Amino acid sequence: MTVTAPESAPAAELPPSSGTRLVDRVFKMRELAILVVFLVMIAVTQAGNSEFLSEQGIKDLLLNATILVLVATGQSLVVITRNVDLSVGSTLGISAFAAGTYLHGGGNPVVAIVLAVLLGVGCGLLNGLLVSLGQVPALVVTLGTLYIIRGVDSIWVGSRQITAADLPGGFVDFGSGGVSAVPWLALIALAVLVATAYYLKHFGSGRESYALGSNPEAARLAGIPVRKRILTAYTFCGALAGLAGALYLARFGNVDSGTGNGYELTVVSAVVVGGVVFTGGSGSVYGAALGALLLTSINSVLPALGVSSVWVLAINGVLLLLAIAVDRIVALRVATALKKSTAKRPAGDGARRPAPEKGSSRNA
Amino acid sequence: MTHPSDTGPAPVLALEDISKSFGAVRALRDVSLRLFPGEVHALAGENGAGKSTLIKTLAGVHRPDAGRVLLDGEPVVFHGPGDARDAGIAVIYQEPTLFPDLSIAENIFMGRQPRRAFGRIDHRATRAATEALMRRLGVDLDPDRPARGLSIADQQIVEIAKALSFEARVLVMDEPTAALTGSEVARLFGVVRTLRDQGAAVLFISHRLEEIFQICRRVTTLRDGGLISSEPLDGMTEDDLVRRMVGRDLDELYPKQDVTAGEVALSVKRLTREGVFTDISFEVRRGEIVGLAGLVGAGRTEVARAVFGIDRWDAGGVEVDGRALTNGAPSTAMAAGLALVPEDRRAQGLVMGMSIERNIGLTGLRTTVRAGLMDRGAERSRSLDWAVRLQVKYSRIADAVSTLSGGNQQKVVLAKWLATGPGVLIVDEPTRGIDVGTKAEVHRLLSQLAADGVAVLMISSDLPEILGMADRVLVMHEGRLTAEIPRAEATEETVMAAATGRAAA
């Protein structure tokens, strides 16, 4: 679907800047493509099952996506710096249980959420310090912390369980309530998402995160505080995983030592499907959020269409590969387009007839 | 600082008795350097002489073990590249240091973007400032274009724009011309002269001696980490400079032996790759060195890649010793006796983190095998043999190639391919970024190979090298072969005319 777009784009452009505009378009297109896939999927499902988009149906879709959107937003920040955080599932689990235990003891819900976030910040700091100081690949480091945090969680929690009955009623209501079809939790996730996107685009440290992922050596030479940026990204990612833990508790009311187990892979899938490039430097949190929305919606779409949910995993996998394939094809096409736009202006030689070539630029 | 430098103004930046060691290697020993405003200063020396270490000390990447850095006469300590930049020192490295995913404007202003209220980046001001810089440099680059895909010349323009953007007082350029064509070099020098006239101190490094004489006023020479001399270039000859760099008189730089060409070894017929090159036909005979000249981007490297089978061709064919090669199959090309020494040794020629031994051994993975397993002993002796024959300078054969200087890395790439005993050798920019001493060695080696009956196709942007080494010169322009010039008729004028498409072939 997106594959054909780059081809037709340059035709409408004037040659001198077609390279730039094309790139712009393609990257916007990348997020647009997921949105289109998502909307088509929803439309098809609605056509097959008119109950699907009821108020409750929409609410469920949004609620299901909320937790993943939050964690994927944090993960994007880390992936943009050319790292990865595999410990988010464990962090979510332990934060959720901590918040639950505190609430069970009669604590204030707001303090409980803050507690979960702080616990997440702690886990993020640990990851960030290990990755930035240890010079060890993030994949390995966070695989280690994944097990450490999960292990601590298991020792602490044992066979205990928090259920909705242990939680204050207001907290559980908050987890399922909202403004008509839009749940509170989704609004929180949206606020976090918009704020993060704004930060990444408009603040120096946000741009430096992209720079760092795009070329770490150049970032170091440009005087970017590399370790600080990595530490910030992990801390932020941990904080959002912690927040997601608290919201998980509010949404499901049911937490044990296995909560969030294996979640990191879903998160990474959402981020990659959303067009955040795994080698860093490129992609947006909006894309990651759309990826999260797409992946979670499949869970609701299949039952609504009468398809067994055993298909969900396989379909997620196909989407992931498809996303990577599309990225690759788009990257190749963009590279060709950029080369052509450079070739049109005789490289570095302004004196050599720059003008007459305009006419012949469409000789793909 | 408006006085001309000969009335003796204070140096803007000075290094005093700097020493720096990496482990047991003493990269710099008591080196001093003084840079004056309004002057282009050359830093000369062979690869491994300590030039890069010196630059990185200036740039705040390395901290000297001993000695002082003085800025306007005041001692300063750079804790990182940011400190050096804030002090007004801009370094343009040999390897471009851009962010491919970010726009040109962001590349220039990264870390120093104009701000609006609450510390937000002023994207519009960033863009406008970039446009102003591009106008000042007289180039036409779109500030919003990502840096990915820019030519090396344009990447350097972006780096210079970066230096201009913070009004750098000291500009260090590490081999900026290595990958540029003649006209691009001229454009670069124009910019450098402008900066100099505006009072900047420029430290210029190049292996092309004529460029040093063209643009520099003084020269500091390093050899084996030590300071040899720091003196005006006035009255010096190229030979004087080479003697200081090498420590001895250099044998002839282009030791081309006369060889009678044998039968055709490589025959390329009407080779076409759509949109890249068209209708390329030529032959290379045993004992011949054929030069392939042209501007960067003319399609020379692409032809070599297609001949070797890395890229597929759309029409035509390639024969080695009369046998047709399979389209897009490097393994059959290798089996037929073809070897390709690529242009970019770091990215394509070597596995940087692997040892010298293993790198040379890579092309022998099929032959140094016993009972289906790698014969490490055979690999080692094969690698040692070639490393010695090419006089690679290393401390241990098990050291990673990344520890070697550029010239020695290039020798390892050559060794890797010569070890296959090729009948046809394609070398792409064999001496780019290599010091004169090693360059002469590479040339002698190529000449010797040809004398031994190897057919050599040499792609080079270094015109003197083409003229000095090639029996015949092929010239490409915009994807087409525009001229074939025998050695006797090849001059800078005839080759450049064909390369720029000014003359009909």
Side-chain angles (χ1 to χ4, degrees):
Chain A
M1 53 228 105
T2 42
V3 184
T4 55
E7 242 179 3
S8 54
E13 305 277 0
L14 288 169
S17 62
S18 68
T20 310
R21 301 239 183 101
L22 175 62
V23 172
D24 260 12
R25 279 185 178 205
V26 167
F27 283 118
K28 282 180 189 139
M29 201 81 71
R30 186 64 180 74
E31 279 123 42
L32 206 64
I34 315 163
L35 190 62
V36 169
V37 172
F38 173 73
L39 292 177
V40 167
M41 188 176 81
I42 296 298
V44 168
T45 313
Q46 175 66 9
N49 180 348
S50 57
E51 285 298 289
F52 184 64
L53 284 186
S54 63
E55 187 176 317
Q56 189 57 40
I58 294 176
K59 197 167 181 174
D60 282 344
L61 274 183
L62 293 176
L63 269 178
N64 290 340
T66 298
I67 313 279
L68 190 58
V69 165
L70 272 179
V71 188
T73 302
Q75 185 74 258
S76 306
L77 214 63
V78 173
V79 173
I80 282 169
T81 65
R82 203 181 273 195
N83 285 294
V84 68
D85 185 352
L86 292 183
S87 71
V88 286
S90 303
T91 305
L92 183 146
I94 202 169
S95 309
F97 197 85
T101 311
Y102 178 75
L103 285 172
H104 183 46
N108 177 318
V110 176
V111 179
I113 293 176
V114 171
L115 191 73
V117 171
L118 287 179
L119 197 57
V121 166
C123 295
L125 272 174
L126 175 70
N127 282 321
L129 286 173
L130 288 174
V131 171
S132 60
L133 297 180
Q135 309 268 322
V136 186
L139 197 79
V140 183
V141 169
T142 58
L143 189 62
T145 53
L146 179 161
Y147 287 122
I148 292 172
I149 297 169
R150 178 64 63 194
V152 170
D153 193 23
S154 303
I155 295 163
W156 176 44
V157 176
S159 58
R160 285 185 293 159
Q161 205 179 21
I162 302 276
T163 61
D166 302 325
L167 302 173
F171 190 67
V172 178
D173 290 343
F174 161 74
S176 51
V179 194
S180 71
V182 184
W184 298 119
L185 300 192
L187 288 176
I188 293 178
L190 186 67
V192 168
L193 178 67
V194 171
T196 309
Y198 192 83
Y199 159 77
L200 279 176
K201 182 158 172 52
H202 293 286
F203 284 87
S205 50
R207 300 314 298 167
E208 287 177 9
S209 302
Y210 276 96
L212 171 57
S214 192
N215 185 346
E217 179 60 17
R220 204 171 62 83
L221 292 174
I224 292 174
V226 172
R227 287 179 175 165
K228 199 165 141 195
R229 294 287 164 263
I230 292 178
L231 195 62
T232 310
Y234 272 102
T235 309
F236 183 74
C237 180
L240 288 193
L243 177 63
L247 300 191
Y248 182 96
L249 180 71
R251 159 102 171 97
F252 298 104
N254 204 324
V255 178
D256 58 24
S257 66
T259 299
N261 211 348
Y263 201 53
E264 55 281 342
L265 296 183
T266 315
V267 174
V268 171
S269 310
V271 167
V272 172
V273 166
V276 178
V277 178
F278 209 65
T279 47
S282 177
S284 76
V285 286
Y286 288 125
L290 281 168
L293 189 60
L294 182 64
L295 287 190
T296 47
S297 303
I298 294 170
N299 285 308
S300 322
V301 162
L302 293 183
L305 289 175
V307 179
S308 162
S309 60
V310 293
W311 284 90
V312 168
L313 288 182
I315 291 180
N316 282 356
V318 169
L319 274 179
L320 192 64
L321 292 185
L322 208 63
I324 291 171
V326 167
D327 281 348
R328 181 75 193 131
I329 293 164
V330 167
L332 286 176
R333 280 175 188 257
V334 168
T336 320
L338 285 177
K339 272 201 185 128
K340 274 185 193 157
S341 77
T342 311
K344 267 174 247 152
R345 196 176 47 79
D349 192 349
R352 261 185 339 121
R353 52 193 170 90
E357 303 219 344
K358 281 185 182 176
S360 62
S361 64
R362 281 293 298 150
N363 54 358
Chain B
M1 224 45 76
T2 51
H3 316 281
S5 56
D6 41 310
T7 61
V12 55
L13 186 72
L15 299 180
E16 282 185 356
D17 300 324
I18 296 284
S19 294
K20 175 77 187 173
S21 298
F22 299 101
V25 182
R26 299 194 70 187
L28 289 176
R29 284 176 286 127
D30 301 326
V31 173
S32 298
L33 175 72
R34 300 203 294 165
L35 298 177
F36 295 93
E39 191 175 281
V40 184
H41 192 117
L43 184 61
E46 291 192 275
N47 285 331
K51 300 188 304 279
S52 294
T53 311
L54 187 76
I55 293 168
K56 288 195 168 157
T57 306
L58 281 176
V61 176
H62 293 327
R63 271 216 258 165
D65 301 332
R68 299 196 300 170
V69 180
L70 301 173
L71 187 72
D72 295 323
E74 297 293 319
V76 286
V77 177
F78 299 143
H79 295 281
D83 286 356
R85 186 188 65 198
D86 294 343
I89 300 172
V91 182
I92 299 173
Y93 292 97
Q94 214 171 337
E95 310 283 319
T97 56
L98 298 182
F99 307 111
D101 299 295
L102 304 187
S103 72
I104 288 177
E106 284 204 289
N107 265 289
I108 292 173
F109 286 97
M110 182 52 66
R112 303 171 293 111
Q113 296 95 336
R115 300 297 162 97
R116 292 152 66 202
F118 309 112
R120 290 169 303 158
I121 294 171
D122 190 339
H123 291 292
R124 196 185 285 173
T126 309
R127 193 180 195 290
T130 306
E131 276 175 344
L133 286 170
M134 291 302 160
R135 269 198 303 276
R136 201 168 141 194
L137 290 171
V139 294
D140 170 34
L141 286 175
D142 182 350
D144 292 333
R145 181 195 199 284
R148 192 185 297 285
L150 283 180
S151 71
I152 295 197
D154 284 342
Q155 290 183 28
Q156 272 165 357
I157 290 296
V158 175
E159 294 276 11
I160 291 173
K162 205 192 284 180
L164 280 181
S165 73
F166 62 92
E167 301 294 340
R169 301 159 65 210
V170 178
L171 183 63
V172 181
M173 307 178 89
D174 188 359
E175 281 190 57
T177 58
L180 302 195
T181 60
S183 57
E184 288 167 343
V185 171
R187 179 179 72 165
L188 182 75
F189 282 6
V191 171
V192 170
R193 287 196 183 95
T194 310
L195 293 175
R196 176 197 66 191
D197 295 343
Q198 289 166 357
V202 181
L203 184 65
F204 181 83
I205 292 154
S206 175
H207 284 307
R208 300 186 186 167
L209 299 183
E210 69 273 15
E211 289 177 357
I212 290 183
F213 282 92
Q214 203 180 329
I215 197 165
C216 300
R217 184 187 173 93
R218 298 164 66 82
V219 61
T220 293
T221 315
L222 301 180
R223 194 196 307 150
D224 299 328
L227 178 70
I228 298 303
S229 70
S230 196
E231 61 202 315
L233 273 161
D234 270 351
M236 265 175 96
T237 65
E238 288 201 9
D239 287 341
D240 295 336
L241 185 54
V242 167
R243 208 170 301 120
R244 283 169 181 68
M245 288 164 62
V246 184
R248 57 185 155 82
D249 278 316
L250 193 68
D251 309 339
E252 209 187 339
L253 190 53
Y254 305 110
K256 177 73 181 82
Q257 308 173 25
D258 272 327
V259 178
T260 317
E263 70 262 44
V264 174
L266 173 68
S267 165
V268 175
K269 286 175 188 155
R270 312 204 61 128
L271 205 65
T272 299
R273 182 172 157 84
E274 244 170 77
V276 185
F277 53 82
T278 311
D279 202 13
I280 304 290
S281 300
F282 63 88
E283 291 179 341
V284 185
R285 294 170 175 277
R286 297 205 172 285
E288 242 188 346
I289 297 181
V290 174
L292 184 49
L295 300 178
V296 171
R300 297 169 299 164
T301 297
E302 289 74 8
V303 169
R305 286 172 60 93
V307 166
F308 193 68
I310 299 168
D311 299 329
R312 297 182 67 84
W313 63 74
D314 297 320
V318 179
E319 286 178 10
V320 172
D321 295 330
R323 277 184 305 158
L325 294 187
T326 316
N327 193 354
S331 58
T332 60
M334 277 174 72
L338 204 61
L340 172 69
V341 175
E343 168 181 34
D344 184 348
R345 58 178 171 262
R346 281 163 195 274
Q348 296 160 7
L350 293 168
V351 186
M352 297 302 288
M354 222 153 78
S355 68
I356 302 162
E357 175 188 349
R358 292 289 189 83
N359 265 287
I360 299 177
L362 276 178
T363 50
L365 292 178
R366 298 261 165 78
T367 48
T368 45
V369 167
R370 204 169 46 193
L373 297 174
M374 278 300 298
D375 184 345
R376 294 295 307 281
E379 183 185 61
R380 168 161 294 222
S381 63
R382 176 178 180 270
S383 300
L384 267 173
D385 180 34
W386 280 100
V388 169
R389 279 165 78 172
L390 268 59
Q391 299 169 21
V392 181
K393 285 185 197 129
Y394 58 89
S395 51
R396 284 174 311 159
I397 190 110
D399 287 345
V401 285
S402 57
T403 62
L404 299 179
S405 67
N408 280 304
Q409 286 175 5
Q410 184 68 337
K411 285 191 200 167
V412 173
V413 186
L414 276 166
K416 167 180 156 185
W417 285 105
L418 294 183
T420 63
V424 180
L425 178 67
I426 305 176
V427 285
D428 196 352
E429 305 286 359
T431 62
R432 171 184 293 174
I434 289 186
D435 62 79
V436 274
T438 314
K439 198 165 170 175
E441 281 180 50
V442 169
H443 289 156
R444 193 171 312 111
L445 190 74
L446 290 177
S447 179
Q448 186 57 46
L449 284 168
D452 293 345
V454 176
V456 180
L457 179 66
M458 182 181 73
I459 301 174
S460 176
S461 298
D462 185 345
L463 213 45
E465 176 172 271
I466 288 272
L467 300 176
M469 292 301 297
D471 292 301
R472 263 187 304 138
V473 183
L474 304 171
V475 190
M476 280 185 74
H477 171 65
E478 292 185 353
R480 285 176 184 277
L481 214 51
T482 47
E484 176 171 346
I485 311 170
R487 184 179 178 84
E489 293 163 31
T491 62
E492 285 202 21
E493 289 71 33
T494 53
V495 174
M496 280 317 287
T500 52
R502 270 178 287 154

